[in-house]
Amino acid sequence: MSWYTKAIEEKKPQKKTLWIKCRGCGAHIWASEWKQNLSVCPECNYHCSMTAQERINLLFDKDSFHELFENISPVDSLNFNDLKGSYKDKIEANKKKSGILESVVTGHGKIKGFSVVTAIMDFRFLGGSLGSGTGEKILQAANFAYDYGLPYIIFSASGGARMQEGVLSLMQMAKTCAGVARLNKKNIPFISVLLNPTTGGVTASYAMMGDLNISEPGAVIGFAGRRVIEQTIGEKLPDDFQTAEYLLEHGFIDAIVQRKEMRDYLANVLSYYNR
Amino acid sequence: MVIVNGVKVSEKEKRQRLTQEKKSRNISAWDVVKISRHPKRPIFQDYLERIFTNFVELHGDRAFGDDRAIIGGFAQIGNQKVMVIGHNKGKNTTEQIERNFGMAKPEGYRKALRLMKLAQRFNLPVITVIDTPGAFPGLEAEERGQAESIARNITEMANIEVPIISLVIGEGGSGGALGIGVGDRILMLSNAIYSVISPEGCASILWRDAKFAPDAAKALNITAEALYKLDIIDEIIEEPTEGAHADYQQIAANVKRSLLRNLRNLSNISVYELLEQRFEKYAAMGKFAVD
Ligand SMILES: [Zn+2]
């Protein structure tokens, strides 16, 4: 989306590295300890990004997750080429790098026995950007929740709409929100979990539309990019600007939940769904 | 079946027509960007004066303030009473500053939604007029929920129980445009643009330099012609050869004719059908592969 300048790239630790350097405080942490602590820094509580699969493993009951719409992938319908090459090549490279076909994994499963439909964005795939395939999967999953009357949980981690698909990407904001609007009509709960980072067109569509909006500590959540705003207003922004804590203070999210407590938190909230 | 300038055409005819138009126009995407931002280009208030009568402007979002970047109210077009809402850039520096160059803040989007719900209460069709570089990227806009206000509009527009026609007259800047742009019909002037990101913004990210904006403009497919081919918009409204600024009366007449025809076409659809069709329209948007 306009003004969002550069997706924050977080390098995932390589399998063989012994030490992880925390992006939050710079501390060196044993890789085994880092993993044990769910990719959260034991020193400063920095919540590093997770893959969709890691999040499924963390949150869903063992063997309960069934993937849906997994055969959907992006196409380079505009023949988009920039300085670095073609979108087509980028798609292939990202598929290879991440082992998934789009920036979101969709499916249904159980959280402590509660059945839900879910869409989990994966920041490794083109910065979690919202492309046509992403939008299709998120809508189809919403329709699945609608048809079966199941709560819908979307985990967002995205730099925003995918530029390489032009207005087709922009329209995914309307497409995904149309799915959310149908859930609203049928009183089906939609929980939005905004993870680091959730910005641009994703924040300005389904991610902000949760009946509950929740987040993890320190997650960056915003519409316009920080640098663009600084250029517009000509001054430095406060450090906590566009963090989960800032959004909580301004009334846009319901709660900030520690990663290790997320499963219990979601199950507890789902236990109140009385339909 | 699609409609080009009021004429129903088949897919094949549509392609032929576009090829012909392309030959006759021979104008780059960047040229179109420049025309869409031409300082003399007619803005919303020019169309308000020429097309609509009895405009009753309504103010405020009932929560924070009255954003001057988006204005709206009751109005009449021909014999048809409507709710009209649009970005208004301003005609001179004073107006442009007052109206923040058409860059709306959350209170602007919330006012727009309030007026759409009012239209539903009064059973009036809604016409939204899009002309913005984008939603305002500022501290107070973020603080008051720029993203939430746009997200809510996009979501709630899916269920507004009266016809919505969205007309892009100049710049369709990303989420800032879509925030009032979820319509049953999307119409675009032939030199208007509609984009996921400004060409300059895209160039500075993907080309690492804003000076490649003309390349980005081409790659992004932001012209009415390109978007018509991609099945994003429903109709192109022809401008005079040099652009809409060359003849205000002519472009106003073309826009009026198109709006009246589209209002007529949407008038006999039941609420149920209207909302189903709107859902299907947006559900069908996008191109992806199924392996
Ligand atoms: Zn740390």
Side-chain angles (χ1 to χ4, degrees), chain A residues 75-76 79-81 85-94:
Chain A
V75 286
D76 183 10
N79 262 317
F80 195 100
N81 288 288
S86 74
Y87 174 44
K88 199 175 173 193
D89 292 342
K90 267 185 205 152
I91 294 168
E92 291 314 313
N94 275 271

Side-chain angles (χ1 to χ4, degrees), chain A residues 22 24-27 41 43-46:
Chain A
C22 172
C25 66
C41 176
E43 301 291 328
C44 72
N45 200 32
Y46 176 79

Side-chain angles (χ1 to χ4, degrees), chain B residues 162-201:
Chain B
V162 288
I164 303 173
I165 297 172
S166 296
L167 167 70
V168 188
I169 57 169
E171 287 182 275
S174 196
L178 191 63
I180 58 167
V182 182
D184 301 299
R185 298 286 185 275
I186 310 173
L187 322 177
M188 256 178 103
L189 267 57
S190 54
N191 291 306
I193 56 169
Y194 201 168
S195 185
V196 66
I197 182 167
S198 71
E200 291 86 350

Side-chain angles (χ1 to χ4, degrees), chain A residues 152-271:
Chain A
Y152 189 26
I153 309 182
I154 304 182
F155 298 85
S156 297
S158 173
R162 192 174 295 164
M163 286 178 285
Q164 294 90 342
E165 293 184 23
V167 170
L168 292 171
S169 295
L170 184 72
M171 291 300 156
Q172 301 311 306
M173 294 167 66
K175 175 168 171 168
T176 51
C177 284
V180 172
R182 277 179 98 213
L183 297 181
N184 291 346
K185 271 203 148 175
K186 209 171 167 181
N187 282 318
I188 294 173
F190 163 42
I191 300 172
S192 175
V193 185
L194 299 96
L195 301 162
N196 188 41
T198 300
T199 60
V202 169
T203 321
S205 59
Y206 53 89
M208 267 294 156
M209 281 297 98
D211 298 307
L212 270 78
N213 291 335
I214 62 178
S215 189
E216 287 185 340
V220 170
I221 304 162
F223 176 66
R226 195 185 170 93
R227 241 170 304 164
V228 177
I229 299 172
E230 286 182 338
Q231 279 165 15
T232 310
I233 63 173
E235 51 190 286
K236 287 284 286 175
L237 293 163
D239 279 346
D240 73 339
F241 182 67
Q242 293 183 330
T243 59
E245 291 74 13
Y246 179 91
L247 268 85
L248 182 70
E249 193 187 317
H250 287 89
F252 292 102
I253 59 177
D254 290 279
I256 297 170
V257 181
Q258 302 288 329
R259 184 169 293 167
K260 61 177 186 293
E261 288 158 10
M262 187 65 84
R263 179 171 145 85
D264 287 342
Y265 182 92
L266 291 173
N268 188 34
V269 165
L270 290 165
S271 78

Side-chain angles (χ1 to χ4, degrees), chain A residues 68-89:
Chain A
L68 294 166
F69 323 119
E70 68 272 19
N71 53 356
I72 291 171
S73 64
V75 286
D76 183 10
S77 49
L78 304 183
N79 262 317
F80 195 100
N81 288 288
D82 58 41
L83 268 193
K84 282 192 190 160
S86 74
Y87 174 44
K88 199 175 173 193
D89 292 342

